[in-house]
Amino acid sequence: MKALIDKLAREHILTRNELVMLIKNRNPDLDSYLFEQAVAVRRRIYGNDIYIRGLIEFTNYCKNDCLYCGIRRSNKGAARYRLTDEEILNCCKTGYEMGFRTFVLQGGDDAYYNDERICALIRTIKNRYPACALTLSIGEKSYSSCRAYFNAGADRYLLRHETADDIHYKKLHQDEMLLSARKQCLYNLKAIGFQVGCGFMVGSPFQTASHLAEDLLFIKDFEPEMVGIGPFIPHHDTPFAREPAGTLEMTLFMLALIRLLLPGVLLPSTTALGTIDPAGRELGILAGANVIMPNLSPPEVREKYLLYDNKSCQGEEAAEGLEDLKKSMDKIGCRIVVDRGDYIDGS
Ligand code: SAH
């Protein structure tokens, strides 16, 4: 197995069978070998720098019904909220003062926020904070909507593909949702000029090693600037309430493989990883991740943006916990930088 990791580190690609074999045979010994190489690649490209993004969860209304997600439209138990423009701008102000130079607007797929409102918001934020990058994570949109957001000044777009296998995708989403449409949106975003992020959940229901290999091959082929992955965690009011969560170990393994597949990729150590293990965020960095996205949403709405149970929004997950986060990064030989943190082509 180590020979496969050497090959991956050298060539940045493996075949489907090789990836499946690695995934099926992961073990602690292999983990440390892989993480060492992944961290070496991260250091070669990004040094000790860890980029931070201020995550603003501005609406939890959603027209979709993803079976895994706590803010799916059928969840009548979710307390819905929308932030006003003023509240969003206040988040940016707080974040800017703390040293954030990227804001991520994330939300459910909420029709209230039509193109006109989103574009107006983008213009105001970019106008007030010209030194900051603005990332959108607001679901699948038409080509013309994406173009309008880009023209208004948005820099980046996160849209996880969720799984690169059509049949698996169907099992995770309501009938109207199609993997082909999600992929088309990703291709459109790229063609328009966004820095684009895709990604998937590790350990989502029905996922197999060969699905994971397919995800990695899709990512390699698509060449995104960012990849967001995290363990699936059940939410009590969804059809997947009783499904087991993804594991810390497999998520770390995937992070490290992604770092070797796409050396320069911006790779967050996500909230979900910090939720399944108190040391998750640090361990993610030690497996090759180089981005952390603390929560900048107003504290009173944080508990309502509940994608999964026990979603962490305290301590180092919260923007207010930035000082603690800095310390814990210091301890592992990394440093949080005040920087837009754009993609560096590491090839
Ligand atoms: N509406 C936006 C943002 C979705 S929330 C969109 O469609 O892109 C952001 C991500 O959270 C999702 O892409 C999904 O991968 C993840 N997520 C949702 N429910 C989850 C769960 N139960 N466990 C782990 N991650 C989850």
mmCIF file of all heavy atoms in Angstrom, residues 62 64 66-71 106-110 137-140 157-162 177 182 199-202 228 230-235 238 240 272 305-309, ligand 1:
data_model
loop_
_atom_site.group_PDB
_atom_site.id
_atom_site.type_symbol
_atom_site.label_atom_id
_atom_site.label_comp_id
_atom_site.label_asym_id
_atom_site.label_seq_id
_atom_site.Cartn_x
_atom_site.Cartn_y
_atom_site.Cartn_z
ATOM 1 N N CYS A 62 -35.141 26.654 2.844
ATOM 2 C CA CYS A 62 -34.612 25.895 1.706
ATOM 3 C C CYS A 62 -35.729 25.221 0.955
ATOM 4 O O CYS A 62 -36.631 24.638 1.538
ATOM 5 C CB CYS A 62 -33.595 24.855 2.188
ATOM 6 S SG CYS A 62 -32.631 24.185 0.808
ATOM 7 N N ASN A 64 -35.166 22.817 -1.148
ATOM 8 C CA ASN A 64 -34.762 21.432 -1.432
ATOM 9 C C ASN A 64 -35.086 20.511 -0.265
ATOM 10 O O ASN A 64 -35.386 20.963 0.841
ATOM 11 C CB ASN A 64 -33.282 21.366 -1.774
ATOM 12 C CG ASN A 64 -33.022 21.967 -3.140
ATOM 13 O OD1 ASN A 64 -33.874 21.910 -4.021
ATOM 14 N ND2 ASN A 64 -31.863 22.566 -3.305
ATOM 15 N N CYS A 66 -33.035 17.529 0.597
ATOM 16 C CA CYS A 66 -31.925 16.584 0.700
ATOM 17 C C CYS A 66 -32.141 15.719 1.948
ATOM 18 O O CYS A 66 -32.384 16.253 3.033
ATOM 19 C CB CYS A 66 -30.610 17.346 0.787
ATOM 20 S SG CYS A 66 -30.422 18.581 -0.522
ATOM 21 N N LEU A 67 -32.058 14.423 1.760
ATOM 22 C CA LEU A 67 -32.462 13.513 2.842
ATOM 23 C C LEU A 67 -31.570 13.591 4.078
ATOM 24 O O LEU A 67 -31.983 13.234 5.170
ATOM 25 C CB LEU A 67 -32.510 12.062 2.322
ATOM 26 C CG LEU A 67 -33.829 11.690 1.646
ATOM 27 C CD1 LEU A 67 -33.982 12.374 0.296
ATOM 28 C CD2 LEU A 67 -33.942 10.182 1.455
ATOM 29 N N TYR A 68 -30.340 14.069 3.890
ATOM 30 C CA TYR A 68 -29.384 14.121 5.003
ATOM 31 C C TYR A 68 -29.457 15.422 5.790
ATOM 32 O O TYR A 68 -28.902 15.506 6.884
ATOM 33 C CB TYR A 68 -27.952 13.948 4.461
ATOM 34 C CG TYR A 68 -27.667 14.771 3.213
ATOM 35 C CD1 TYR A 68 -27.301 16.105 3.306
ATOM 36 C CD2 TYR A 68 -27.790 14.202 1.942
ATOM 37 C CE1 TYR A 68 -27.072 16.860 2.172
ATOM 38 C CE2 TYR A 68 -27.556 14.949 0.806
ATOM 39 C CZ TYR A 68 -27.196 16.285 0.920
ATOM 40 O OH TYR A 68 -26.975 17.018 -0.202
ATOM 41 N N CYS A 69 -30.108 16.441 5.244
ATOM 42 C CA CYS A 69 -29.896 17.794 5.769
ATOM 43 C C CYS A 69 -30.998 18.256 6.721
ATOM 44 O O CYS A 69 -32.190 18.149 6.406
ATOM 45 C CB CYS A 69 -29.768 18.760 4.600
ATOM 46 S SG CYS A 69 -29.346 20.433 5.140
ATOM 47 N N GLY A 70 -30.584 18.812 7.842
ATOM 48 C CA GLY A 70 -31.517 19.260 8.876
ATOM 49 C C GLY A 70 -32.364 20.456 8.482
ATOM 50 O O GLY A 70 -33.401 20.716 9.101
ATOM 51 N N ILE A 71 -31.952 21.229 7.460
ATOM 52 C CA ILE A 71 -32.773 22.372 7.064
ATOM 53 C C ILE A 71 -33.570 22.073 5.787
ATOM 54 O O ILE A 71 -34.050 22.984 5.128
ATOM 55 C CB ILE A 71 -31.947 23.685 6.950
ATOM 56 C CG1 ILE A 71 -30.886 23.607 5.856
ATOM 57 C CG2 ILE A 71 -31.294 24.020 8.296
ATOM 58 C CD1 ILE A 71 -30.239 24.970 5.525
ATOM 59 N N GLN A 106 -23.350 31.596 3.169
ATOM 60 C CA GLN A 106 -23.934 30.279 2.935
ATOM 61 C C GLN A 106 -25.387 30.257 3.389
ATOM 62 O O GLN A 106 -25.744 30.894 4.388
ATOM 63 C CB GLN A 106 -23.155 29.192 3.678
ATOM 64 C CG GLN A 106 -23.658 27.804 3.270
ATOM 65 C CD GLN A 106 -22.911 26.670 3.946
ATOM 66 O OE1 GLN A 106 -23.249 26.213 5.019
ATOM 67 N NE2 GLN A 106 -21.857 26.226 3.282
ATOM 68 N N GLY A 107 -26.201 29.514 2.643
ATOM 69 C CA GLY A 107 -27.594 29.425 3.050
ATOM 70 C C GLY A 107 -28.313 28.302 2.351
ATOM 71 O O GLY A 107 -27.778 27.650 1.454
ATOM 72 N N GLY A 108 -29.534 28.076 2.785
ATOM 73 C CA GLY A 108 -30.415 27.172 2.079
ATOM 74 C C GLY A 108 -30.743 27.793 0.725
ATOM 75 O O GLY A 108 -30.385 28.944 0.456
ATOM 76 N N ASP A 109 -31.411 27.044 -0.122
ATOM 77 C CA ASP A 109 -31.809 27.568 -1.427
ATOM 78 C C ASP A 109 -33.125 28.320 -1.219
ATOM 79 O O ASP A 109 -34.201 27.738 -1.245
ATOM 80 C CB ASP A 109 -31.954 26.388 -2.400
ATOM 81 C CG ASP A 109 -31.789 26.850 -3.824
ATOM 82 O OD1 ASP A 109 -32.218 27.978 -4.133
ATOM 83 O OD2 ASP A 109 -31.240 26.076 -4.628
ATOM 84 N N ASP A 110 -32.989 29.627 -0.951
ATOM 85 C CA ASP A 110 -34.086 30.444 -0.451
ATOM 86 C C ASP A 110 -34.524 31.444 -1.517
ATOM 87 O O ASP A 110 -33.783 32.364 -1.853
ATOM 88 C CB ASP A 110 -33.582 31.163 0.818
ATOM 89 C CG ASP A 110 -34.612 32.084 1.419
ATOM 90 O OD1 ASP A 110 -35.740 32.191 0.890
ATOM 91 O OD2 ASP A 110 -34.284 32.718 2.450
ATOM 92 N N SER A 137 -22.231 30.286 -1.253
ATOM 93 C CA SER A 137 -22.555 28.868 -1.125
ATOM 94 C C SER A 137 -24.059 28.801 -0.929
ATOM 95 O O SER A 137 -24.563 28.657 0.183
ATOM 96 C CB SER A 137 -21.794 28.274 0.063
ATOM 97 O OG SER A 137 -22.141 26.924 0.247
ATOM 98 N N ILE A 138 -24.767 29.001 -2.050
ATOM 99 C CA ILE A 138 -26.219 29.180 -1.975
ATOM 100 C C ILE A 138 -26.964 28.208 -2.892
ATOM 101 O O ILE A 138 -28.102 28.451 -3.262
ATOM 102 C CB ILE A 138 -26.603 30.654 -2.292
ATOM 103 C CG1 ILE A 138 -26.054 31.113 -3.651
ATOM 104 C CG2 ILE A 138 -26.059 31.572 -1.198
ATOM 105 C CD1 ILE A 138 -26.463 32.544 -4.037
ATOM 106 N N GLY A 139 -26.285 27.126 -3.252
ATOM 107 C CA GLY A 139 -26.952 26.061 -3.998
ATOM 108 C C GLY A 139 -26.855 26.209 -5.501
ATOM 109 O O GLY A 139 -26.148 27.080 -6.010
ATOM 110 N N GLU A 140 -27.569 25.318 -6.190
ATOM 111 C CA GLU A 140 -27.515 25.258 -7.653
ATOM 112 C C GLU A 140 -28.287 26.418 -8.259
ATOM 113 O O GLU A 140 -29.458 26.604 -7.947
ATOM 114 C CB GLU A 140 -28.263 23.998 -8.110
ATOM 115 C CG GLU A 140 -27.418 22.825 -8.420
ATOM 116 C CD GLU A 140 -28.310 21.592 -8.546
ATOM 117 O OE1 GLU A 140 -29.138 21.548 -9.476
ATOM 118 O OE2 GLU A 140 -28.171 20.695 -7.706
ATOM 119 N N TYR A 157 -17.182 30.302 -5.401
ATOM 120 C CA TYR A 157 -18.481 29.628 -5.216
ATOM 121 C C TYR A 157 -18.239 28.198 -4.744
ATOM 122 O O TYR A 157 -17.451 27.464 -5.345
ATOM 123 C CB TYR A 157 -19.242 29.613 -6.542
ATOM 124 C CG TYR A 157 -20.741 29.522 -6.378
ATOM 125 C CD1 TYR A 157 -21.568 30.618 -6.639
ATOM 126 C CD2 TYR A 157 -21.352 28.330 -5.969
ATOM 127 C CE1 TYR A 157 -22.949 30.533 -6.494
ATOM 128 C CE2 TYR A 157 -22.731 28.247 -5.822
ATOM 129 C CZ TYR A 157 -23.517 29.353 -6.084
ATOM 130 O OH TYR A 157 -24.886 29.281 -5.936
ATOM 131 N N LEU A 158 -18.907 27.859 -3.664
ATOM 132 C CA LEU A 158 -18.815 26.486 -3.136
ATOM 133 C C LEU A 158 -20.102 25.751 -3.437
ATOM 134 O O LEU A 158 -21.183 26.211 -3.060
ATOM 135 C CB LEU A 158 -18.661 26.491 -1.614
ATOM 136 C CG LEU A 158 -17.422 27.089 -0.983
ATOM 137 C CD1 LEU A 158 -17.556 27.062 0.554
ATOM 138 C CD2 LEU A 158 -16.191 26.300 -1.411
ATOM 139 N N LEU A 159 -19.987 24.635 -4.106
ATOM 140 C CA LEU A 159 -21.157 23.805 -4.377
ATOM 141 C C LEU A 159 -20.680 22.354 -4.329
ATOM 142 O O LEU A 159 -20.123 21.843 -5.296
ATOM 143 C CB LEU A 159 -21.730 24.132 -5.764
ATOM 144 C CG LEU A 159 -23.004 23.399 -6.146
ATOM 145 C CD1 LEU A 159 -24.223 23.962 -5.405
ATOM 146 C CD2 LEU A 159 -23.252 23.496 -7.664
ATOM 147 N N ARG A 160 -20.890 21.718 -3.213
ATOM 148 C CA ARG A 160 -20.433 20.328 -3.128
ATOM 149 C C ARG A 160 -21.213 19.467 -4.113
ATOM 150 O O ARG A 160 -22.433 19.639 -4.235
ATOM 151 C CB ARG A 160 -20.643 19.805 -1.708
ATOM 152 C CG ARG A 160 -19.722 20.447 -0.678
ATOM 153 C CD ARG A 160 -19.888 19.716 0.617
ATOM 154 N NE ARG A 160 -19.022 20.212 1.659
ATOM 155 C CZ ARG A 160 -19.029 19.704 2.888
ATOM 156 N NH1 ARG A 160 -19.847 18.699 3.199
ATOM 157 N NH2 ARG A 160 -18.227 20.172 3.799
ATOM 158 N N HIS A 161 -20.521 18.570 -4.783
ATOM 159 C CA HIS A 161 -21.249 17.685 -5.703
ATOM 160 C C HIS A 161 -21.964 16.597 -4.909
ATOM 161 O O HIS A 161 -22.841 15.939 -5.418
ATOM 162 C CB HIS A 161 -20.315 17.126 -6.780
ATOM 163 C CG HIS A 161 -19.224 16.259 -6.259
ATOM 164 N ND1 HIS A 161 -18.072 16.765 -5.687
ATOM 165 C CD2 HIS A 161 -19.106 14.914 -6.188
ATOM 166 C CE1 HIS A 161 -17.311 15.761 -5.292
ATOM 167 N NE2 HIS A 161 -17.912 14.629 -5.570
ATOM 168 N N GLU A 162 -21.563 16.392 -3.664
ATOM 169 C CA GLU A 162 -22.169 15.460 -2.688
ATOM 170 C C GLU A 162 -21.829 13.983 -2.922
ATOM 171 O O GLU A 162 -21.515 13.279 -1.986
ATOM 172 C CB GLU A 162 -23.694 15.637 -2.539
ATOM 173 C CG GLU A 162 -24.196 17.077 -2.359
ATOM 174 C CD GLU A 162 -23.741 17.792 -1.089
ATOM 175 O OE1 GLU A 162 -23.022 17.204 -0.286
ATOM 176 O OE2 GLU A 162 -24.078 18.986 -0.934
ATOM 177 N N MET A 177 -33.902 16.391 -7.908
ATOM 178 C CA MET A 177 -32.484 16.767 -7.948
ATOM 179 C C MET A 177 -31.656 15.745 -8.722
ATOM 180 O O MET A 177 -31.809 14.546 -8.535
ATOM 181 C CB MET A 177 -31.939 16.953 -6.530
ATOM 182 C CG MET A 177 -32.406 18.262 -5.917
ATOM 183 S SD MET A 177 -31.709 18.558 -4.279
ATOM 184 C CE MET A 177 -30.060 19.163 -4.684
ATOM 185 N N ARG A 182 -26.223 19.367 -11.043
ATOM 186 C CA ARG A 182 -25.254 19.919 -10.090
ATOM 187 C C ARG A 182 -23.890 20.077 -10.776
ATOM 188 O O ARG A 182 -23.217 21.094 -10.650
ATOM 189 C CB ARG A 182 -25.154 18.996 -8.881
ATOM 190 C CG ARG A 182 -24.645 19.685 -7.659
ATOM 191 C CD ARG A 182 -25.412 19.260 -6.432
ATOM 192 N NE ARG A 182 -24.923 19.901 -5.243
ATOM 193 C CZ ARG A 182 -25.583 20.846 -4.561
ATOM 194 N NH1 ARG A 182 -26.763 21.256 -4.968
ATOM 195 N NH2 ARG A 182 -25.072 21.368 -3.476
ATOM 196 N N GLY A 199 -17.175 19.033 -3.552
ATOM 197 C CA GLY A 199 -16.883 18.239 -2.357
ATOM 198 C C GLY A 199 -17.993 17.274 -2.016
ATOM 199 O O GLY A 199 -19.012 17.220 -2.714
ATOM 200 N N PHE A 200 -17.789 16.519 -0.958
ATOM 201 C CA PHE A 200 -18.723 15.439 -0.621
ATOM 202 C C PHE A 200 -18.680 15.134 0.865
ATOM 203 O O PHE A 200 -17.787 15.606 1.578
ATOM 204 C CB PHE A 200 -18.371 14.178 -1.437
ATOM 205 C CG PHE A 200 -16.968 13.680 -1.212
ATOM 206 C CD1 PHE A 200 -16.700 12.708 -0.258
ATOM 207 C CD2 PHE A 200 -15.900 14.193 -1.952
ATOM 208 C CE1 PHE A 200 -15.403 12.243 -0.043
ATOM 209 C CE2 PHE A 200 -14.593 13.739 -1.742
ATOM 210 C CZ PHE A 200 -14.343 12.763 -0.779
ATOM 211 N N MET A 201 -19.652 14.350 1.307
ATOM 212 C CA MET A 201 -19.662 13.898 2.700
ATOM 213 C C MET A 201 -18.997 12.527 2.761
ATOM 214 O O MET A 201 -19.183 11.699 1.865
ATOM 215 C CB MET A 201 -21.093 13.787 3.205
ATOM 216 C CG MET A 201 -21.728 15.138 3.453
ATOM 217 S SD MET A 201 -23.460 14.986 3.911
ATOM 218 C CE MET A 201 -24.164 14.437 2.376
ATOM 219 N N VAL A 202 -18.266 12.298 3.827
ATOM 220 C CA VAL A 202 -17.616 11.004 4.011
ATOM 221 C C VAL A 202 -18.500 10.161 4.928
ATOM 222 O O VAL A 202 -18.890 10.613 6.003
ATOM 223 C CB VAL A 202 -16.216 11.180 4.656
ATOM 224 C CG1 VAL A 202 -15.548 9.827 4.886
ATOM 225 C CG2 VAL A 202 -15.352 12.078 3.778
ATOM 226 N N GLY A 228 -14.438 20.927 -0.373
ATOM 227 C CA GLY A 228 -15.014 20.859 0.979
ATOM 228 C C GLY A 228 -15.510 19.451 1.266
ATOM 229 O O GLY A 228 -16.394 18.949 0.572
ATOM 230 N N GLY A 230 -16.449 16.612 4.635
ATOM 231 C CA GLY A 230 -16.598 16.429 6.077
ATOM 232 C C GLY A 230 -17.388 15.156 6.292
ATOM 233 O O GLY A 230 -18.007 14.645 5.344
ATOM 234 N N PRO A 231 -17.363 14.625 7.510
ATOM 235 C CA PRO A 231 -18.132 13.406 7.757
ATOM 236 C C PRO A 231 -19.635 13.686 7.702
ATOM 237 O O PRO A 231 -20.077 14.766 8.101
ATOM 238 C CB PRO A 231 -17.725 13.031 9.182
ATOM 239 C CG PRO A 231 -17.321 14.329 9.810
ATOM 240 C CD PRO A 231 -16.700 15.141 8.718
ATOM 241 N N PHE A 232 -20.402 12.739 7.198
ATOM 242 C CA PHE A 232 -21.860 12.806 7.343
ATOM 243 C C PHE A 232 -22.173 12.646 8.830
ATOM 244 O O PHE A 232 -21.548 11.831 9.524
ATOM 245 C CB PHE A 232 -22.531 11.676 6.548
ATOM 246 C CG PHE A 232 -23.928 11.377 7.046
ATOM 247 C CD1 PHE A 232 -24.986 12.222 6.754
ATOM 248 C CD2 PHE A 232 -24.169 10.262 7.857
ATOM 249 C CE1 PHE A 232 -26.257 11.968 7.252
ATOM 250 C CE2 PHE A 232 -25.439 10.003 8.352
ATOM 251 C CZ PHE A 232 -26.486 10.851 8.050
ATOM 252 N N ILE A 233 -23.093 13.465 9.328
ATOM 253 C CA ILE A 233 -23.536 13.351 10.725
ATOM 254 C C ILE A 233 -25.066 13.364 10.700
ATOM 255 O O ILE A 233 -25.659 14.257 10.079
ATOM 256 C CB ILE A 233 -23.009 14.534 11.582
ATOM 257 C CG1 ILE A 233 -21.466 14.620 11.506
ATOM 258 C CG2 ILE A 233 -23.473 14.404 13.039
ATOM 259 C CD1 ILE A 233 -20.874 15.832 12.204
ATOM 260 N N PRO A 234 -25.726 12.390 11.330
ATOM 261 C CA PRO A 234 -27.185 12.357 11.229
ATOM 262 C C PRO A 234 -27.867 13.533 11.939
ATOM 263 O O PRO A 234 -27.318 14.069 12.904
ATOM 264 C CB PRO A 234 -27.555 11.033 11.911
ATOM 265 C CG PRO A 234 -26.373 10.641 12.717
ATOM 266 C CD PRO A 234 -25.172 11.262 12.077
ATOM 267 N N HIS A 235 -29.011 13.920 11.437
ATOM 268 C CA HIS A 235 -29.859 14.917 12.086
ATOM 269 C C HIS A 235 -31.155 14.213 12.476
ATOM 270 O O HIS A 235 -31.743 13.500 11.658
ATOM 271 C CB HIS A 235 -30.134 16.067 11.113
ATOM 272 C CG HIS A 235 -31.005 17.147 11.695
ATOM 273 N ND1 HIS A 235 -32.341 16.959 11.966
ATOM 274 C CD2 HIS A 235 -30.713 18.420 12.089
ATOM 275 C CE1 HIS A 235 -32.836 18.072 12.500
ATOM 276 N NE2 HIS A 235 -31.863 18.965 12.578
ATOM 277 N N THR A 238 -34.549 13.946 10.171
ATOM 278 C CA THR A 238 -34.414 13.625 8.747
ATOM 279 C C THR A 238 -34.596 12.117 8.557
ATOM 280 O O THR A 238 -34.512 11.357 9.528
ATOM 281 C CB THR A 238 -32.999 13.990 8.220
ATOM 282 O OG1 THR A 238 -32.037 13.208 8.948
ATOM 283 C CG2 THR A 238 -32.679 15.453 8.390
ATOM 284 N N PHE A 240 -32.568 10.138 7.562
ATOM 285 C CA PHE A 240 -31.313 9.451 7.904
ATOM 286 C C PHE A 240 -30.968 9.548 9.389
ATOM 287 O O PHE A 240 -29.809 9.333 9.787
ATOM 288 C CB PHE A 240 -30.145 10.017 7.079
ATOM 289 C CG PHE A 240 -30.227 9.701 5.598
ATOM 290 C CD1 PHE A 240 -29.554 10.490 4.666
ATOM 291 C CD2 PHE A 240 -30.976 8.618 5.124
ATOM 292 C CE1 PHE A 240 -29.611 10.214 3.301
ATOM 293 C CE2 PHE A 240 -31.049 8.341 3.757
ATOM 294 C CZ PHE A 240 -30.369 9.136 2.847
ATOM 295 N N ALA A 272 -17.871 20.022 10.464
ATOM 296 C CA ALA A 272 -18.357 18.663 10.740
ATOM 297 C C ALA A 272 -17.246 17.807 11.346
ATOM 298 O O ALA A 272 -17.479 16.998 12.249
ATOM 299 C CB ALA A 272 -18.898 18.018 9.459
ATOM 300 N N TYR A 305 -29.106 27.054 12.348
ATOM 301 C CA TYR A 305 -28.540 26.549 11.080
ATOM 302 C C TYR A 305 -28.006 25.151 11.356
ATOM 303 O O TYR A 305 -26.816 24.875 11.302
ATOM 304 C CB TYR A 305 -27.433 27.482 10.569
ATOM 305 C CG TYR A 305 -27.095 27.259 9.109
ATOM 306 C CD1 TYR A 305 -27.892 27.801 8.099
ATOM 307 C CD2 TYR A 305 -26.003 26.485 8.729
ATOM 308 C CE1 TYR A 305 -27.600 27.593 6.767
ATOM 309 C CE2 TYR A 305 -25.693 26.268 7.391
ATOM 310 C CZ TYR A 305 -26.496 26.828 6.422
ATOM 311 O OH TYR A 305 -26.208 26.617 5.084
ATOM 312 N N LEU A 306 -28.964 24.282 11.676
ATOM 313 C CA LEU A 306 -28.572 22.963 12.163
ATOM 314 C C LEU A 306 -28.658 21.935 11.031
ATOM 315 O O LEU A 306 -29.689 21.309 10.820
ATOM 316 C CB LEU A 306 -29.481 22.560 13.334
ATOM 317 C CG LEU A 306 -28.915 21.454 14.221
ATOM 318 C CD1 LEU A 306 -27.649 21.896 14.940
ATOM 319 C CD2 LEU A 306 -29.955 20.996 15.243
ATOM 320 N N LEU A 307 -27.549 21.784 10.331
ATOM 321 C CA LEU A 307 -27.528 20.829 9.217
ATOM 322 C C LEU A 307 -27.525 19.400 9.761
ATOM 323 O O LEU A 307 -28.010 18.480 9.121
ATOM 324 C CB LEU A 307 -26.272 21.036 8.359
ATOM 325 C CG LEU A 307 -26.042 22.450 7.814
ATOM 326 C CD1 LEU A 307 -24.735 22.513 7.053
ATOM 327 C CD2 LEU A 307 -27.192 22.870 6.916
ATOM 328 N N TYR A 308 -26.925 19.229 10.954
ATOM 329 C CA TYR A 308 -26.820 17.910 11.592
ATOM 330 C C TYR A 308 -26.792 18.118 13.091
ATOM 331 O O TYR A 308 -26.572 19.245 13.570
ATOM 332 C CB TYR A 308 -25.562 17.171 11.106
ATOM 333 C CG TYR A 308 -24.334 18.027 11.032
ATOM 334 C CD1 TYR A 308 -23.575 18.303 12.161
ATOM 335 C CD2 TYR A 308 -23.944 18.613 9.825
ATOM 336 C CE1 TYR A 308 -22.470 19.119 12.100
ATOM 337 C CE2 TYR A 308 -22.829 19.449 9.758
ATOM 338 C CZ TYR A 308 -22.103 19.696 10.898
ATOM 339 O OH TYR A 308 -20.999 20.521 10.836
ATOM 340 N N ASP A 309 -27.003 17.050 13.857
ATOM 341 C CA ASP A 309 -27.105 17.173 15.309
ATOM 342 C C ASP A 309 -25.782 17.596 15.950
ATOM 343 O O ASP A 309 -24.704 17.217 15.464
ATOM 344 C CB ASP A 309 -27.561 15.833 15.921
ATOM 345 C CG ASP A 309 -29.029 15.559 15.606
ATOM 346 O OD1 ASP A 309 -29.752 16.524 15.280
ATOM 347 O OD2 ASP A 309 -29.439 14.384 15.666
HETATM 348 N N1 SAH B 1 -27.663 25.111 0.046
HETATM 349 C C1 SAH B 1 -26.252 25.124 -0.179
HETATM 350 C C2 SAH B 1 -25.468 24.906 1.087
HETATM 351 C C3 SAH B 1 -25.707 23.550 1.667
HETATM 352 S S1 SAH B 1 -25.136 23.290 3.299
HETATM 353 C C4 SAH B 1 -25.920 24.088 -1.244
HETATM 354 O O1 SAH B 1 -26.800 23.396 -1.699
HETATM 355 O O2 SAH B 1 -24.767 24.030 -1.650
HETATM 356 C C5 SAH B 1 -23.462 22.898 2.997
HETATM 357 C C6 SAH B 1 -23.072 21.445 3.015
HETATM 358 O O3 SAH B 1 -23.352 20.846 4.263
HETATM 359 C C7 SAH B 1 -23.788 20.541 2.037
HETATM 360 O O4 SAH B 1 -23.264 20.684 0.757
HETATM 361 C C8 SAH B 1 -23.584 19.160 2.636
HETATM 362 O O5 SAH B 1 -22.489 18.474 2.042
HETATM 363 C C9 SAH B 1 -23.287 19.451 4.106
HETATM 364 N N2 SAH B 1 -24.279 18.784 4.970
HETATM 365 C C10 SAH B 1 -25.623 18.878 4.937
HETATM 366 N N3 SAH B 1 -26.189 18.021 5.814
HETATM 367 C C11 SAH B 1 -25.175 17.361 6.418
HETATM 368 C C12 SAH B 1 -25.106 16.326 7.392
HETATM 369 N N4 SAH B 1 -26.197 15.795 7.911
HETATM 370 N N5 SAH B 1 -23.882 15.887 7.785
HETATM 371 C C13 SAH B 1 -22.761 16.439 7.263
HETATM 372 N N6 SAH B 1 -22.773 17.392 6.327
HETATM 373 C C14 SAH B 1 -23.955 17.858 5.891
#
